[in-house]
Amino acid sequence: MNYRHAYHAGNFADVLKHASLVAVLLHLRKKETPFAVIDCHGGRGLYDLSSIEAKKTGEADAAIGRLLKSDAVPGVLQPYLDLVRGFQPASYPGSPLISARLLRASDRLIAIEKQPDEYAALTTALSNDRRVRLIHGDYVTELPKLVPPPQRRGVILIDPPYEKDGEFAEATQALITAHRRFATGIYLFWYPAKEKPAVEA
């Protein structure tokens, strides 16, 4: 696997994905009953925006960097930006850390990560949080074991790197299988817009 999110953390795609995740989590918090978050691609949890990787692409500067400097942003983005500011000046939270910040005492987060070095970093970032369970493995194998969650409410985030042939079909099947087992869940499914015919199918 060649994809490393350290080069892309805080880019326009992260802004869209994470602002959406924050909106969903705030919606779930409106009810007192607990919910679960299942993050199928946890990554390393926290990204250094001053790193060589981040500076090489400049993607964060063009996206989250611009938003953080702006005096006027759409209201829907404000809770997300407030959360990100809590990790500044030079760090950007991945989806597991964003979720962990918005969990209540009775809510739970399960984050899956396949790559050993990313998993090790994620463990360091979240090891002290009792509401969190980390799984070192492949989401295709692990997700069916996790749905439906005991809470019977929750959100599932599926965000593969889409590096290999057939990965979109694999992710789509994982989504369909999970939805059959947990039809009342909220699914955030990141898909490759460049594969438009496959997406429409």
Side-chain angles (χ1 to χ4, degrees):
M1 179 172 167
N2 296 316
Y3 180 85
R4 288 292 180 267
H5 196 61
Y7 289 94
H8 311 290
N11 69 2
F12 76 95
D14 264 4
V15 168
L16 174 59
K17 175 174 62 179
H18 293 150
S20 300
L21 176 61
V22 168
V24 168
L25 293 173
L26 291 176
H27 172 74
L28 286 168
R29 284 167 55 111
K30 290 179 180 178
K31 287 186 179 179
E32 291 184 7
T33 51
F35 62 84
V37 179
I38 301 174
D39 193 330
C40 293
H41 300 84
R44 62 187 304 107
L46 194 62
Y47 298 89
D48 180 1
L49 297 185
S50 65
S51 69
I52 294 171
E53 295 87 351
K55 292 300 182 186
K56 183 174 182 178
T57 63
E59 291 180 19
D61 290 338
I64 190 60
R66 287 180 61 192
L67 280 176
L68 290 170
K69 293 174 185 174
S70 177
D71 294 327
V73 296
V76 70
L77 290 177
Q78 199 60 57
Y80 158 70
L81 288 176
D82 290 344
L83 191 151
V84 171
R85 282 191 178 100
F87 292 89
Q88 291 296 300
S91 294
Y92 183 82
S95 48
L97 267 71
I98 288 173
S99 297
R101 280 285 172 98
L102 293 174
L103 294 180
R104 301 163 303 184
S106 59
D107 303 325
R108 296 292 178 263
L109 164 65
I110 301 171
I112 306 165
E113 177 51 47
K114 185 176 182 179
Q115 300 304 316
D117 54 341
E118 300 289 281
Y119 177 78
L122 184 60
T123 300
T124 299
L126 286 170
S127 61
N128 293 327
D129 195 328
R130 292 186 175 186
R131 303 165 304 168
V132 176
R133 176 184 169 200
L134 304 178
I135 298 174
H136 184 204
D138 188 336
Y139 82 103
V140 173
T141 303
E142 299 297 334
L143 182 57
K145 304 174 190 175
L146 301 172
V147 290
Q151 295 81 3
R152 300 289 172 166
R153 288 202 320 132
V155 56
I156 297 172
L157 179 64
I158 302 175
D159 180 27
Y162 296 116
E163 277 194 316
K164 61 185 181 182
D165 291 341
E167 196 165 7
F168 176 57
E170 180 181 70
T172 303
Q173 188 56 57
L175 171 66
I176 292 168
T177 300
H179 185 261
R180 284 178 179 154
R181 296 175 60 106
F182 184 36
T184 57
I186 298 170
Y187 292 83
L188 297 180
F189 181 54
W190 199 251
Y191 57 83
K194 62 185 178 182
E195 295 187 24
K196 191 173 180 180
V199 171
E200 288 177 349

